[in-house]
Amino acid sequence: CPPVEPARGADFGLLVTEPPPFGLHDLRQAYQLTMELNIPAGLIVNRDGIGNFDIDAFCQEVGLPILMRRPLEKEIGQGIAQGKTLLDIHPEYAISLARVLGQKGQIQLCLVDSPGALKSLDAAIAIVTGLLQKAPDNNYAEELIRFLTAKANTLAFMRNYSDASRIYDRLIMNLKKDVQERPSPQAKIKLAQVYTNRGYIPTALTQKPSSIDYYDLAIGILEDLLDEEDFDPVVQSLII
């Protein structure tokens, strides 16, 4: 079968389908192929919003994650007819692509494909870094923090503690600056989370006193937040 050989040996199956019935028929076959070849997969829904919701039901049934939805737009069709790419037409889709790569990395890590996860996360980090260089944006900065944290966690899982520590320390430095400039509860919680992740590494290296120092820093931040009189109950539930 022609699709089998190109797929054999792939580290991930990025499936693309459309809502009409024939789209679901082809998706079932493609998904079955990834299962037979033991390839993790995710789905992009093209021309989302037309047809019915059978694709969503199928994905929920088999546990296939929907990584991205691209709506039907006349502007996209016209641009592609002129030889343009999707990112030429909608540059803002770059962040969606980065998120797809980030989700792919998380799936690969869950399946203990750490090298594959690192490649996906590095690609996501490169996209978001490029976006930030063109136009500083808080949403892009938050995505970069999320991808860097995922990369550090992956490195720690691979026992590459030195590289993981460097990323955690960089994140701590940047988040401390954010907390000083914009002391929001969300920024403080992120800093506490990174302190907690950073504390794992000395534990793994049997340097438990150092771990306790990091955990105490995280606990101190969270205790201060819980003591605030006007503290948001929603954010409080996140801490608990």
Side-chain angles (χ1 to χ4, degrees), residues 199-212:
Y200 165 78
I201 292 178
T203 300
L205 296 173
T206 65
Q207 299 169 359
K208 294 182 180 179
S210 296
S211 288
I212 293 173

Side-chain angles (χ1 to χ4, degrees), residues 49-92:
I50 65 172
N52 51 42
F53 298 99
D54 290 347
I55 286 176
D56 294 70
F58 171 74
C59 290
Q60 186 174 6
E61 176 188 346
V62 301
L64 177 65
I66 298 178
L67 304 179
M68 181 179 174
R69 298 175 184 270
R70 191 196 70 78
L72 177 63
E73 293 182 13
K74 184 177 180 181
E75 182 183 2
I76 293 176
Q78 291 174 336
I80 291 175
Q82 295 169 6
K84 297 179 181 178
T85 68
L86 180 60
L87 294 184
D88 291 332
I89 304 162
H90 282 305
E92 66 274 15

Side-chain angles (χ1 to χ4, degrees), residues 125-210:
I125 289 167
I127 291 172
V128 179
T129 300
L131 291 172
L132 281 169
Q133 290 172 347
K134 293 178 181 178
D137 183 289
N138 287 337
N139 291 327
Y140 295 164
E142 289 181 5
E143 292 288 354
L144 182 59
I145 290 170
R146 186 165 67 88
F147 294 142
L148 285 170
T149 301
K151 179 178 180 179
N153 293 344
T154 302
L155 289 166
F157 178 78
M158 297 172 69
R159 299 185 181 181
N160 186 345
Y161 299 126
S162 58
D163 287 345
S165 296
R166 279 193 287 271
I167 296 176
Y168 287 137
D169 290 342
R170 172 185 167 190
L171 287 169
I172 288 170
M173 180 179 68
N174 291 336
L175 288 170
K176 286 174 69 175
K177 182 179 178 181
D178 287 345
V179 167
Q180 291 171 354
E181 295 176 353
R182 298 181 295 274
S184 67
Q186 290 79 4
K188 292 177 181 179
I189 289 173
K190 287 178 185 176
L191 178 57
Q193 289 172 335
V194 177
Y195 273 136
T196 302
N197 291 341
R198 180 66 176 84
Y200 165 78
I201 292 178
T203 300
L205 296 173
T206 65
Q207 299 169 359
K208 294 182 180 179
S210 296

Side-chain angles (χ1 to χ4, degrees), residues 3-26:
V4 174
E5 288 308 315
R8 198 182 302 278
D11 63 353
F12 192 83
L14 188 58
L15 308 180
V16 181
T17 194
E18 297 181 350
F22 282 117
L24 178 58
H25 175 269
D26 292 344

